[in-house]
Amino acid sequence: KAGVTQTPRYLIKTRGQQVTLSCSPISGHRSVSWYQQTPGQGLQFLFEYFSETQRNKGNFPGRFSGRQFSNSRSEMNVSTLELGDSALYLCASTLLAASLGEETQYFGPGTRLLVL
Amino acid sequence: AQKITQTQPGMFVQEKEAVTLDCTYDTSDPSYGLFWYKQPSSGEMIFLIYQGSYDQQNATEGRYSLNFQKARKSANLVISASQLGDSAMYFCAMREVENRDDKIIFGKGTRLHILP
């Protein structure tokens, strides 16, 4: 079974530009979550999508947005990039198992974004 | 207040020795799940082990075991017979089930170095 895939793996942008990152979850998984990882802030939750609906959102400005398609693939978009948006963006998929809290997230390799 | 605390920013351990990585958590939710992830330098988050709050026994997965002390709100990861390939960042994480803010919260991580 293929794992979570993310494209592109590396990206360099300049301030003010926008960027779109893509995530394909494990086949059969219906939930996709996005995280931003920086050395200073660690792993921070961006948002989670389930069945094309945003289910949860972290404390990020409106420049960060996402969506999920009917095949569960997800995209996140960052508009008007700032230097501080340089980070590793990780996507994780979840089967949404019925058991208590056992919703193990499987992560993709991440997209390293550098904003100059 | 931090919900997940990992007090060891870095650790150096001799190959083949056992390693204990500390994790304490804070929640008022009676139902929760605890996770450990490994992140090598490549960036991908690798799921290691899961412990549910109602599980009576400590979780084990190969060389990994979770020392779950519910009263102390502690969920330490134990790696037996460490190997050079265990060198990585390790993250403890928690998902609260009843809390409507239904996301996984990560600690700051511990960087583990295995010495030959």
Side-chain angles (χ1 to χ4, degrees):
Chain A
K1 200 182 228 184
V4 179
T5 57
Q6 290 186 248
T7 56
R9 293 292 311 277
Y10 303 92
L11 205 50
I12 300 175
K13 292 282 188 179
T14 56
R15 278 184 302 173
Q17 287 187 311
Q18 73 152 17
V19 66
T20 299
L21 311 181
S22 179
C23 171
S24 292
I26 292 172
S27 178
H29 285 197
R30 296 169 63 192
S31 173
V32 172
S33 297
W34 288 89
Y35 293 85
Q36 181 196 66
Q37 186 178 24
T38 58
Q41 299 298 319
L43 269 156
Q44 293 187 285
F45 172 77
L46 279 157
F47 26 65
E48 179 181 6
Y49 284 88
F50 176 72
S51 293
E52 302 178 64
T53 301
Q54 188 179 86
R55 191 175 151 186
N56 214 337
K57 191 177 191 308
N59 296 323
F60 278 82
R63 300 185 297 106
F64 291 81
S65 63
R67 58 178 175 167
Q68 187 180 34
F69 302 95
S70 58
N71 61 358
S72 294
R73 188 178 71 87
S74 177
E75 289 182 347
M76 68 161 279
N77 184 76
V78 187
S79 62
T80 320
L81 284 165
E82 300 176 0
L83 296 179
D85 297 333
S86 295
L88 177 66
Y89 289 88
L90 290 162
C91 159
S93 77
T94 308
L95 179 61
L96 284 190
S99 55
L100 185 70
E102 192 172 351
E103 297 178 2
T104 300
Q105 292 191 327
Y106 295 92
F107 284 79
T111 295
R112 288 192 186 273
L113 172 65
L114 176 62
V115 181
L116 302 175
Chain B
Q2 274 191 322
K3 288 210 168 187
I4 297 285
T5 303
Q6 295 180 252
T7 57
Q8 307 149 310
M11 286 185 72
F12 288 84
V13 173
Q14 208 66 42
E15 190 181 8
K16 298 181 185 175
E17 289 185 351
V19 182
T20 298
L21 304 180
D22 295 341
C23 173
T24 56
Y25 59 92
D26 181 28
T27 182
S28 56
D29 195 328
S31 306
Y32 52 89
L34 296 159
F35 305 81
W36 276 92
Y37 286 88
K38 171 184 178 181
Q39 187 178 42
S41 55
S42 59
E44 185 170 355
M45 297 282 280
I46 302 167
F47 166 73
L48 295 177
I49 197 166
Y50 164 84
Q51 178 85 44
S53 58
Y54 291 123
D55 292 343
Q56 295 295 316
Q57 294 188 324
N58 287 343
T60 60
E61 289 286 348
R63 294 187 298 113
Y64 304 107
S65 60
L66 201 152
N67 184 1
F68 182 45
Q69 298 187 41
K70 195 170 181 177
R72 293 186 179 184
K73 293 188 175 178
S74 166
N76 297 341
L77 176 71
V78 180
I79 307 174
S80 63
S82 58
Q83 302 170 356
L84 295 178
D86 294 333
S87 294
M89 279 289 283
Y90 288 81
F91 292 94
C92 178
M94 174 177 66
R95 186 171 196 142
E96 296 163 308
V97 176
E98 294 185 8
N99 185 344
R100 286 193 167 273
D101 196 17
D102 184 33
K103 63 181 184 289
I104 288 188
I105 305 160
F106 286 83
K108 296 290 188 185
T110 295
R111 183 169 295 281
L112 176 64
H113 303 270
I114 305 298
L115 304 172

